[in-house]
Amino acid sequence: MRCVVANWKMNLTKDEAQAFCEDLLGRMAPESEAEVGIAPPFTLLHQVSDLVRPRGLQVFGQNGHAEAKGAFTGEISMPQLRDAGCSGVLLGHSERRQFFGETDVALAKKVKAAWQWDLLPLLCIGETLEQRDAGQTLDVLAQQLAILAETGPGPLWVAYEPVWAIGTGRRAEAAQVREAHAFIRTELNRHLAGTEYRVPILYGGSVTPESFPELLGIPEVAGGLVGGASLDPRKFAELVKQAG
Ligand code: PEP
């Protein structure tokens, strides 16, 4: 199974989202076997899910709180995401970790909350440039995946997103992706040994239609989490085609 997920971040308005979805769906072959997801801003969740779920696409929240409700101004809960039409939720995106202080402790709680509300967590992990230069990449990935010792097993997608490759136009090299994905698979096998769960590992970081075919040829790369290129329906449709 190959997966392509669009992370729109804090982009698009109602009319723009409408035009995007109509354009994308018009370009998508009905026989495509790729699992396709869109993670719009919260204000667009209802609208996007009404448009794309009838065609089999998934909708993801970009974040979700661990508590089901309460006095958490500015937050959104897992049941609210479900109510808005989501089937999954991005968790631990590096922009959340970097700009909003998201910790592994909080993420373990969020993963459990997602499962409780029947949402598929798409857990994002990856090293900063400083960590890579210091030779710490695999240690960082192991530490970020160690939350699975706390959460226990469950349905999960993982995205390997080197922080230095996100939104920079600087994609990780094939050898770096191969090493990271092989290591993540080993760690997942260790954490999920003896369970039914087989976790797809997506790559994220400056994916484009030009670079995606090579990435898809790397062992353990099950697809892509896409930011910039996912805002252009023509480019995103091309990525879906390459994955399907
Ligand atoms: C992302 O936001 O997860 C991402 C990978 O962004 P970009 O494709 O723009 O690097």
Side-chain angles (χ1 to χ4, degrees), residues 7 9 93 95 161 165-167 204-207 225-228:
N7 177 13
K9 312 192 187 196
H93 191 280
E95 288 152 18
E161 299 206 297
I166 297 179
S206 299
V207 170
L225 176 57
V226 188

Side-chain angles (χ1 to χ4, degrees), residues 38-215:
I38 300 181
F42 300 138
T43 52
L44 302 174
L45 285 174
H46 270 291
Q47 177 197 3
V48 171
S49 71
D50 285 351
L51 285 166
V52 305
R53 289 193 71 173
R55 287 283 299 273
L57 278 67
Q58 301 205 46
V59 177
F60 288 75
Q62 293 180 15
N63 179 31
H65 199 277
E67 296 295 329
K69 61 179 177 178
F72 301 102
T73 302
E75 289 290 324
I76 191 156
S77 73
M78 303 297 176
Q80 287 172 321
L81 292 178
R82 264 223 82 88
D83 187 49
C86 291
S87 56
V89 58
L90 304 191
L91 292 176
H93 191 280
S94 68
E95 288 152 18
R96 301 280 331 156
R97 295 179 191 258
Q98 204 179 337
F99 303 131
F100 302 98
E102 191 137 283
T103 63
D104 288 327
V105 173
L107 283 166
K109 292 182 184 150
K110 289 179 177 212
V111 168
K112 284 199 262 191
W115 288 337
Q116 191 183 344
W117 293 97
D118 207 15
L119 289 166
L120 172 71
L122 171 41
L123 179 67
C124 306
I125 60 175
E127 81 287 359
T128 63
L129 193 54
E130 293 69 37
Q131 290 165 332
R132 174 162 284 277
D133 287 346
Q136 296 166 347
T137 298
L138 302 186
D139 290 340
V140 170
L141 299 178
Q143 190 188 325
Q144 290 173 333
L145 286 171
I147 65 167
L148 296 177
E150 162 67 22
T151 62
L156 184 71
W157 291 4
V158 166
Y160 168 58
E161 299 206 297
V163 178
W164 46 273
I166 297 179
T168 58
R170 182 181 165 193
R171 206 208 77 192
E173 287 164 21
Q176 295 170 321
V177 177
R178 189 178 304 116
E179 180 191 39
H181 279 240
F183 179 76
I184 292 166
R185 175 60 66 209
T186 307
E187 288 296 288
L188 288 171
N189 286 346
R190 199 164 59 75
H191 284 294
L192 302 176
T195 73
E196 74 208 77
Y197 300 108
R198 173 79 190 170
V199 178
I201 309 168
L202 285 61
Y203 167 82
S206 299
V207 170
T208 63
E210 289 70 41
S211 63
F212 203 37
E214 186 196 2
L215 288 161

